[in-house]
Amino acid sequence: AASDVYKRQLWSLLLTGALLPALVEEWLDRGVLWVALSSITTARFTIVASALLFGMSHGLNGGALLEVPHRFVAGLIFGWLRHRSGSLIPCILAHATLNTTAILLAS
């Protein structure tokens, strides 16, 4: 039925639009970049630099500068979570929650 198709499409969208981006982006920004920067600079600079890269990478898909500011702020929050927890897990969960909320509000 149509309801089953909608549910499958929604689950697919949540996987590809919420969970996978959260895993990959957090691994890159608060994982790889974080480890590289934190070994040569302060935690504050690492948080801001990773947030800036996070925000700017989202502005490349057509939304341009309109997407950068609020994603930069999200990156600051994710960076703070990474710094306070010492783990990627809270960042991934927060990021996936943010993405899921956006998808559900847009659906």
Side-chain angles (χ1 to χ4, degrees):
S3 151
D4 290 336
V5 171
Y6 174 76
K7 287 178 187 176
R8 282 194 302 271
Q9 288 174 338
L10 182 59
W11 280 111
S12 177
L13 185 57
L14 289 173
L15 176 66
T16 61
L19 184 58
L20 290 177
L23 288 168
V24 172
E25 292 169 7
E26 292 308 315
W27 173 72
L28 287 172
D29 293 327
R30 256 70 57 192
V32 175
L33 179 63
W34 188 277
V35 170
L37 287 176
S38 65
S39 66
I40 59 171
T41 190
T42 65
R44 182 173 295 187
F45 183 86
T46 301
I47 291 169
V48 171
S50 67
L52 187 59
L53 180 66
F54 179 76
M56 290 176 62
S57 68
H58 284 85
L60 299 177
N61 65 4
L65 297 178
L66 296 176
E67 294 183 18
V68 173
H70 68 277
R71 296 212 168 119
F72 171 72
V73 172
L76 289 174
I77 294 167
F78 300 154
W80 180 82
L81 286 170
R82 172 71 162 97
H83 175 68
R84 295 291 295 180
S85 70
S87 171
L88 282 177
I89 301 299
C91 308
I92 293 168
L93 292 174
H95 192 156
T97 300
L98 181 65
N99 290 351
T100 298
T101 302
I103 288 169
L104 292 176
L105 288 174
S107 295

